[in-house]
Amino acid sequence: MVAVSDGQRSGRAPGDPAGRPMLSPALTAMMDAVGAHSGAVYLLPGDEPVLEMAVMAGLPRSFAAPWERVGVGAPIPIARAVRERRLVWVGGEEEMARSYPRIAMVLPYPFALAALPLATASKVYGAVFVTWPGSHPPELSDRERHELQTACERLALRLERAAAENRPVRGEADQPVAGPAGTADTLGTVEAARLVARLPYGLCSLDLTGRVGFANPAAADLLGVPVGELLGTHLWASVPWLADPMYEERYRAALISRHVTSFVALRPPSQWLSFRLYPSATGISVRVVRARAVSVTGPAGGERGDAPPRLVSMSQALSLAGALTETVSVQDVVRLVAEEIAPAVGSGALALLGARAGRLHVLGHHGYPDPHLVERFDGMPLASPTPGTQAVTHGVPAFFDSRRQLEHLYPARHATPDGFAAWAYLPLIASGRPVGVCVLAYAEPRSFSTHERAVLTSLAGLIAQALDRALLYDAKHQLAHGLQAALLPHSLPSLPGIEASARYLPATRGMEIGGDFYDLVPSRPLPAAVIGDVQGHNVTAAGLMGQLRTAVRAYTTVGQEPAEVMRSTNRLMIDLGTELFASCLYLRLDPARGRAVMARAGHPPPLLRRPDGRVRVLDLAGGPLLGIDAEATYPTTEIRLAPGSVLALYTDGLIESPGVDIEDAVADLGRRLGEAGELPLEALADELVGHYAAAEERIDDVALLLLRASSARDAG
C-alpha cells in the first residue's frame, strides 16, 4: 500500500531510509531531462481506484485544482495512462480539444502533455504527467520518450521497495522550477534596481503563483496602489479594477503556454493601460504602459478594497460544468456532486433528494455517519414543515449558519441531530419546475456570504439540469430493461439429456434494447432451441422479436418440422408488413438418439465442440433472412450430438468488431470454446461473453445459447 497525505502540511516524504523526499527530486529531474516546464506525481491510495496528486512542480497547484483527485476511469490522460499502462501523449491545443474536451475547456492554451503510469510488472502505484510550452513539436521525440519511461520505471521500483518495507510515501511540498543562475554581484543587483526605478514605464515581477515580488515606482503610479501594498499580493486582488477573471486568464495563458501575452484594462474613470506579460520558468515579468483610448468598453471599475475571496475558481467552475454535462444516470450525478462539487465548496456531507408525486425521494447521499438520518426523508410529503420540502415548494434556497438558527425555525430538528453545524438547502429547478433539493452540510458553523450564496445557487442550477436529464435517462433505462426482460425467457426449462445456459447483453447505444432473442421450447416428442436477431436495437426491433419468438413457439408446439417452422415464420414476418429483417437458427433436438436437425436463415454458423475438445464450425445450408422472400425455402441439416458435445449458438454482436475480419472472429471464438469447453456450462458462458460484458461500449446486442448433450441414459 502507498499511503498519501497532504504535501502542503507535511513537506517531507520518508521515501528512503534517510527520510529524504522521494517524489519531488524524481519529478524535477524528469522535467529537466526532457525540458518540461511543469509536472505532477499522482499516487493510488491503497486499493481505492482514485489518483491523488502528491506533488506538483513548475506551476501553481491551483491550475490543476479540478484534477487534484481523479478516478481511474476519468476521461483524462493521467487516468488513461493508468488504465492502459502506457504513455499517453497529447501534442497540442487542437488534440487536447479533440480528445479531452473537459481539460481544453478549463485550460484553452497551447501546451503539450505526456502522462505515464508508475508501474512495475505486478502493480500500478500511480502516474506522472509533464507539460511543455506550446512551442514544443507536435510529436514526442524518441529521446524524450525514453527518458520519461526510464525515469518512471525507476520511480515505480522505489515505490515498490517502499511498500515492501512498509514505509509510507506521502505527499510533498510543491516545487518551483529553478531558473538559470544569476551572475550579478550585490552591487550589480542594487544598480539593477536603480535602473528599473528610473524607467518611465511600469515593471512588475510575478512569481509562479501570480504574487508580486517586485514593482517599480512607475508601476505603482500607473496602478494607483503604493508599492508596499502591491508586494506579496495578486494584482487582481490588490488592484480593484483588475478583479476580473479575464485578466487572471491572461496570466494563466502566459504561464502555461510560455507565450508572450497582453491585454488592455481601463483604470477608472478613463485611463487605459496596456499590460504585456513575459513568462519564464520562474515567473512572469509584466510591463505596464499607458495605452491609446480604445472604443470597447472595459470592465467596470469598483471601489477600493480587496475583492471577495472566491469559493470556486473559474477553472473549477468550468470543469464542474463540463463534468455535469457528461453525467448520464442519477448515480453519476450523485457521485460527481459528492466527489467534486461538495469538496470544492467545503461541504462535509450532502444529500440529493428528488421531488415526485408530492413527495421527497432520496436519490443519493454521501458523508453522513448514519445513513438512516437521510433515508428517513424518503417518501416525506412536500407539505411537511422541513427545510428541504420548503426549498422545493417555494424554490428559494435556505442557508443556516448554525444549529441554533436551524432549530429555531424548525424545532423538530432537535430530535434528529446529524452531527453537522451549518447547512445549505438548494432547490433544484430545471425548465421552471422543481426536480428536487441538494442539501450541503458543514462540520463547523459557517457564515454564508453573498458571494458564496450566489456561487452555491449557480451550482444548484447546473446540478438541476444534469439531474433532470439523468432522471429521464433512468426512466427510459428501466422501461427498456423491463420490456427486454418481459420478451426474453426468465429461465431456461430443464430438458432430459440437455444442459443449457444463455446470456444476453444489450447494446450500449440507443435505449439499450434490441432484437436479439433465444428460446428453449420443451415440446413433445422432441424439444427445440432457437436463436435470432432482428435488425436494429430499439423498441420496434424488440416488439418484432417478441412476435417472432411467440410464433416459433407456436409452430413448434403444433408439431411442424424445422424447415416448415422457418417457412411459416418467414411468411408471418412478411405479412406483418415490417421493413425490418431477421436472421434465425432453429434446432430440433433428439438427445436420446444423439442428433439434432437444424435450419438456418442468414444466421452466423453455430460452433460444435466435440467431447475430444476439437471445435467445428457448422457451415450449414440455409435460406435468406426472414422477411425478404415469401417463397423462400430453408433446407435442414442433421448433425451428430454425442454425449459431452457443446453447441454454441450466438448472434453477430459476439463476433463483429470494427476492423476485425468475421472469419478471424469466429475462429477466435472457436479457440476459446475449445480451451474452456470443460468448464461448467454457466462458467463457460461467462468466459465466452466476458470481454463483451466488460466493454464500456457495445455497438450491437449479444445473445449466446449453449447446449451440452448428456449421456443417453440421462436423455431417457
Side-chain angles (χ1 to χ4, degrees), residues 6 54 132 178 317 324 385 444 495 543 598 610 625 641 662 694:
D6 188 349
W132 291 263
L324 282 167
E444 302 294 335
L495 300 179
M598 302 186 182
R610 294 169 174 162
L625 293 169
L641 200 59
I662 291 293

Side-chain angles (χ1 to χ4, degrees), residues 39 68 86 114 147 360 379 414 642:
E68 283 261 11
R86 67 175 182 87
E147 291 281 0
L360 286 180
H414 282 287

Side-chain angles (χ1 to χ4, degrees), residues 46-112:
D47 296 326
E48 188 180 0
V50 174
L51 289 163
E52 293 185 353
M53 185 182 291
V55 64
M56 187 167 184
L59 287 175
R61 184 176 285 230
S62 60
F63 282 27
W67 308 286
E68 283 261 11
R69 192 172 187 269
V70 298
V72 171
I76 63 175
I78 194 79
R80 184 178 177 187
V82 169
R83 291 195 305 271
E84 301 179 7
R85 298 188 69 159
R86 67 175 182 87
L87 186 151
V88 175
W89 168 250
V90 183
E93 188 176 12
E94 291 185 5
E95 186 176 349
M96 184 68 77
R98 183 171 58 251
S99 303
Y100 306 99
R102 278 183 59 182
I103 297 179
M105 184 169 62
V106 178
L107 301 174
Y109 317 117
F111 68 97

Side-chain angles (χ1 to χ4, degrees), residues 301-534:
E303 297 297 325
R304 268 296 289 273
D306 289 345
R310 283 169 296 168
L311 182 64
V312 177
S313 70
M314 181 176 63
S315 62
Q316 286 176 295
L318 289 170
S319 177
L320 295 174
L324 282 167
T325 64
E326 296 177 3
T327 54
V328 176
S329 68
V330 170
Q331 288 309 306
D332 288 342
V333 177
V334 173
R335 190 179 307 111
L336 179 71
V337 175
E339 294 180 356
E340 298 194 33
I341 293 181
V345 300
S347 171
L350 74 97
L352 273 184
L353 309 175
R356 187 177 71 251
R359 294 182 179 272
L360 286 180
H361 299 276
V362 177
L363 303 177
H365 54 83
H366 179 80
Y368 286 91
D370 183 0
H372 296 294
L373 292 172
V374 180
E375 298 296 339
R376 64 190 174 87
F377 290 104
D378 198 50
M380 177 175 287
L382 291 178
S384 301
T386 69
T389 56
Q390 294 296 300
V392 173
T393 303
H394 300 291
V396 178
F399 301 92
F400 301 96
D401 298 349
S402 65
R403 174 176 294 280
R404 180 179 179 182
Q405 186 183 57
L406 177 64
E407 292 177 348
H408 175 71
L409 295 174
Y410 298 94
R413 291 281 302 192
H414 282 287
T416 55
D418 57 14
F420 291 95
W423 297 264
Y425 288 82
L426 308 172
L428 304 178
I429 310 297
S431 302
R433 57 184 179 81
V435 296
V437 60
C438 176
V439 183
L440 298 174
Y442 298 83
E444 302 294 335
R446 187 184 191 92
S447 177
F448 293 93
S449 66
T450 302
H451 167 76
E452 192 168 359
R453 295 180 185 218
V455 169
L456 292 175
T457 303
S458 298
L459 289 175
L462 296 175
I463 296 171
Q465 295 296 328
L467 183 60
D468 192 38
R469 291 194 308 271
L471 288 167
L472 180 60
Y473 172 84
D474 281 358
K476 289 183 177 179
H477 192 265
Q478 292 171 7
L479 173 65
H481 278 262
L483 179 58
Q484 192 79 58
L487 294 175
L488 290 173
H490 296 288
S491 61
L492 296 176
S494 177
L495 300 179
I498 295 291
E499 181 186 359
S501 179
R503 295 291 183 271
Y504 174 80
L505 302 172
T508 57
R509 299 180 182 178
M511 282 190 66
E512 298 189 12
I513 183 171
D516 289 20
F517 68 97
Y518 60 85
D519 204 356
L520 199 56
V521 186
S523 59
R524 293 189 177 277
L526 297 176
V530 62
I531 191 167
D533 182 3
V534 177

Side-chain angles (χ1 to χ4, degrees), residues 622-643:
L625 293 169
L626 302 177
I628 294 179
D629 180 5
E631 303 302 321
T633 59
Y634 297 91
T636 60
T637 304
E638 180 177 316
I639 65 165
R640 186 168 180 273
L641 200 59

